[in-house]
Amino acid sequence: MKLGVNIDHIATVRQARRGESPDPVYAACICELSGCASIVCHLREDRRHIQDRDLYLLKQVVKTRLNLEMALSEEIIRIALDVKPHQVTLVPEKREELTTEGGLDVVRNFDRIKDSAERFHKAGIKVSLFIEPDERQILAGKDTGAEFIELHTGRYADAKTEEDVATELEKISKATVYAISIGMRVNAGHGLDYHNTAPICKIKGIEELNIGYSIIGRAVFTGLERAVKEMLEIIKRESH
Ligand code: PXP
């Protein structure tokens, strides 16, 4: 299992002063030197953290893979087609949310998602859909032509009781088996931290975990290199 580091919150700190540092492009280099397999960032419509300039520079600098999280807005689609990241991960987006809440409703937005997946594929960009561990959504996702799903682990991360944690884990595990059985590749992420990532690592078939907030938060105290390496140690120790 691999680690993709989401560097949005490096940019959140910079934007607190609308300044020049800390620079997410530096952060991407440190994350890669520390062993991550991809760099993830989200160009939000309100530009609250990552800016267009970051994305263009990241495309030039990133040596692993650049995974752009984005909503299906025509403005952002055009930028993505111009930048050509290795992969886009389509997410739902609301201006008032603090972070991405819930997965994409692929069933309801099927035509729009399928059309944009085709546009991305024509540009040589791989497509991933951020969805809840729900078979209907996964099957619709397959029909859009997307090659990846990213299972939303937010409900698992928020679960408070042992029973709820087990239930959510089981849903992610079953969704992984199902997605692979219909020929999709599976990533997972959201809300994963140094305490709750180990059980997710035990799910066979998940290829990559995308983790941001917990790593950047820890980096404030330990430095980014150590924060990335400590997450990688968990993944290496716990995954098969
Ligand atoms: N995956 C997706 C699709 C996301 O939208 C986010 C948040 O930007 C993450 C992973 C990372 O979540 P977190 O910051 O909670 O680790």
Side-chain angles (χ1 to χ4, degrees):
M1 201 177 278
K2 291 176 286 190
L3 172 65
V5 180
N6 179 314
I7 55 171
D8 290 348
H9 296 305
I10 298 286
T12 303
V13 176
R14 178 192 60 192
Q15 294 311 109
R17 286 284 174 94
R18 305 270 187 278
E20 292 185 351
S21 69
D23 195 319
V25 180
Y26 284 25
C29 298
I30 293 171
C31 291
E32 288 196 326
L33 290 170
S34 308
C36 76
S38 70
I39 297 296
V40 188
C41 69
H42 185 169
L43 185 69
R44 294 186 70 105
E45 290 181 79
D46 63 10
R47 308 297 199 275
R48 69 174 71 157
H49 39 53
I50 294 293
Q51 306 297 307
D52 301 39
R53 164 262 184 209
D54 302 330
L55 187 58
Y56 281 89
L57 286 176
L58 285 167
K59 175 62 204 296
Q60 293 174 45
V61 164
V62 165
K63 299 279 188 293
T64 54
R65 275 176 294 121
L66 180 62
N67 177 1
L68 172 64
E69 292 175 4
M70 54 172 284
L72 275 179
S73 107
E74 190 53 36
E75 184 214 358
I76 306 286
I77 292 175
R78 290 221 180 108
I79 294 171
L81 289 170
D82 188 38
V83 172
K84 293 195 178 57
H86 299 86
Q87 177 182 322
V88 291
T89 298
L90 304 182
V91 303
E93 189 175 302
K94 293 193 220 97
R95 274 174 195 261
E96 63 275 18
E97 70 191 359
L98 287 177
T99 179
T100 314
E101 292 164 1
L104 264 185
D105 190 341
V106 188
V107 175
R108 191 178 286 176
N109 298 294
F110 183 80
D111 292 338
R112 273 178 72 212
I113 294 173
K114 187 165 188 282
D115 286 351
S116 25
E118 278 166 11
R119 289 167 75 187
F120 288 125
H121 285 149
K122 271 190 199 136
I125 302 167
K126 290 197 165 41
V127 178
S128 177
L129 307 175
F130 187 47
I131 53 182
E132 300 288 338
D134 170 332
E135 288 195 4
R136 274 178 69 233
Q137 296 292 345
I138 297 170
L139 185 57
K142 167 81 183 164
D143 291 339
T144 65
E147 41 277 271
F148 286 93
I149 53 167
E150 179 174 334
L151 291 171
H152 195 311
T153 51
R155 274 182 211 272
Y156 160 73
D158 288 342
K160 296 281 179 288
T161 65
E162 264 182 42
E163 211 187 341
D164 288 350
V165 169
T167 306
E168 295 305 327
L169 207 50
E170 182 64 14
K171 281 190 207 160
I172 296 166
S173 179
K174 279 192 173 151
T176 303
V177 172
Y178 177 69
I180 292 171
S181 78
I182 61 168
M184 296 208 82
R185 298 175 67 180
V186 182
N187 299 324
H190 208 281
L192 297 179
D193 63 21
Y194 294 84
H195 306 289
N196 64 17
T197 295
I200 297 285
C201 296
K202 303 242 183 287
I203 301 176
K204 281 194 188 132
I206 297 180
E207 295 187 27
E208 188 161 287
L209 300 180
N210 291 325
I211 308 182
Y213 185 73
S214 62
I215 293 177
I216 305 307
R218 178 170 289 212
V220 171
F221 301 111
T222 66
L224 188 53
E225 177 179 352
R226 195 162 141 196
V228 172
K229 285 188 170 161
E230 286 176 0
M231 187 57 83
L232 276 170
E233 273 166 30
I234 294 174
I235 296 174
K236 266 192 208 136
R237 191 174 65 232
E238 304 291 338
S239 64
H240 299 273

